[in-house]
Amino acid sequence: MIWQNLIDKTLQPLDISNSISEVKSVFKTSTFNHLPVFKKGVFKGSINIDDLIDLDKDAPLSEFKYLIEVFYAEAHKTNLDLIHEFANHQTNMLPILDQDKNYIGVMKLEDVLDLFGESPFVANEGEVMILRKERTKFSFSEVAQLIETLNAKLSGMYVSYLSKDVVEITVKVEHQSINEILQTFRRYDYQIASEHPEDLFTEDLKEHSDYLNKYLDI
């Protein structure tokens, strides 16, 4: 299912002429921490429930325009674009506009996360690895090629950390021997930032460390 099919068009709108008391009443009927605000039917932004606490309940919202945050997503964006907007604005409600900036409805954070959870990266069985390498030496195509040469199935990968010098990616694969994959990546100068019980390299290091400690204790 595409996320556009889940746009909620039933949310009760707030008008900038509403009193703070009226705005709070609308919040009580929803589970959102933001609600969209309109002026004569035109979308103006969203108001956060936490910003209403100390305001005069009889004053109109228009007296507090500086509290209205302008954020939204356009209907042609992807699931990941939406998640980025949710995170940036710490909201569980995202206004959706068309290409002409006309208001369509809102997306709920829970619906977008549910869709993301249905993606192969999350839903498929497999092992998740975190690989780290120098940024100038990193290549997505190399990662995919190494996985394919081992007859493993790649469910997805994304950049989970990025700095000037280092890139870290999270990869999910389906393969019977994760140890074989880990050793292959090490041979190509990738560091393994995740822990895996099947990782014989880690087990070997532990055995050597234990042996060294015993030797030093003699």
Side-chain angles (χ1 to χ4, degrees):
M1 179 184 294
I2 61 173
W3 69 262
Q4 288 86 349
N5 291 337
L6 297 175
I7 296 175
D8 184 351
K9 301 178 181 180
T10 65
L11 186 65
Q12 180 180 347
L14 293 174
D15 192 87
I16 201 165
S17 63
N18 290 148
S19 68
I20 298 303
S21 177
E22 290 172 326
V23 173
K24 287 182 177 181
S25 294
V26 177
F27 267 110
K28 287 180 181 179
T29 64
S30 80
T31 58
F32 297 132
N33 56 10
H34 285 85
L35 285 175
V37 178
F38 299 80
K39 181 177 181 180
K40 296 181 179 179
V42 178
F43 174 73
K44 291 297 181 181
S46 298
I47 188 73
N48 189 325
I49 188 172
D50 292 335
D51 291 333
L52 303 175
I53 296 175
D54 297 322
L55 304 184
D56 179 358
K57 66 177 183 178
D58 296 320
L61 185 56
S62 58
E63 290 188 8
F64 309 98
K65 291 180 182 178
Y66 60 91
L67 295 176
I68 296 176
E69 306 172 56
V70 181
F71 62 85
Y72 57 87
E74 295 180 348
H76 66 273
K77 296 293 185 178
T78 67
N79 289 8
L80 290 179
D81 290 323
L82 266 62
I83 291 174
H84 179 76
E85 291 297 326
F86 277 117
N88 271 357
H89 301 287
Q90 298 183 1
T91 184
N92 59 2
M93 180 284 306
L94 188 60
I96 306 299
L97 308 185
D98 64 19
Q99 61 183 3
D100 297 318
K101 299 297 187 292
N102 296 313
Y103 175 82
I104 299 174
V106 301
M107 276 300 297
K108 303 174 185 176
L109 175 59
E110 60 189 78
D111 287 340
V112 174
L113 293 179
D114 284 345
L115 282 178
F116 185 69
E118 295 173 3
S119 68
F121 185 87
V122 177
N124 285 5
E125 296 292 332
E127 186 83 18
V128 176
M129 306 177 297
I130 300 177
L131 308 175
R132 184 184 297 132
K133 196 172 187 179
E134 290 181 37
R135 187 169 179 176
T136 56
K137 297 180 180 179
F138 170 77
S139 166
F140 273 113
S141 59
E142 181 181 65
V143 173
Q145 185 176 14
L146 289 176
I147 291 173
E148 290 172 357
T149 58
L150 296 170
N151 294 319
K153 184 177 180 181
L154 176 64
S155 294
M157 56 181 166
Y158 67 92
V159 176
S160 46
Y161 174 78
L162 187 65
S163 70
K164 183 177 69 173
D165 302 314
V166 175
V167 61
E168 204 171 83
I169 65 166
T170 298
V171 183
K172 190 170 187 179
V173 296
E174 295 180 46
H175 195 259
Q176 292 183 346
S177 175
I178 188 64
N179 179 65
E180 183 181 4
I181 294 177
L182 297 176
Q183 303 315 320
T184 299
F185 276 111
R186 287 192 174 101
R187 287 196 296 273
Y188 283 82
D189 299 323
Y190 288 85
Q191 298 177 34
I192 310 300
S194 49
E195 294 185 5
H196 304 271
E198 306 91 339
D199 191 352
L200 298 182
F201 178 79
T202 302
E203 189 63 30
D204 287 343
L205 287 179
K206 183 177 183 302
E207 289 179 2
H208 282 87
S209 177
D210 290 343
Y211 178 82
L212 179 60
N213 287 333
K214 289 180 181 179
Y215 177 80
L216 294 175
D217 287 339
I218 296 175

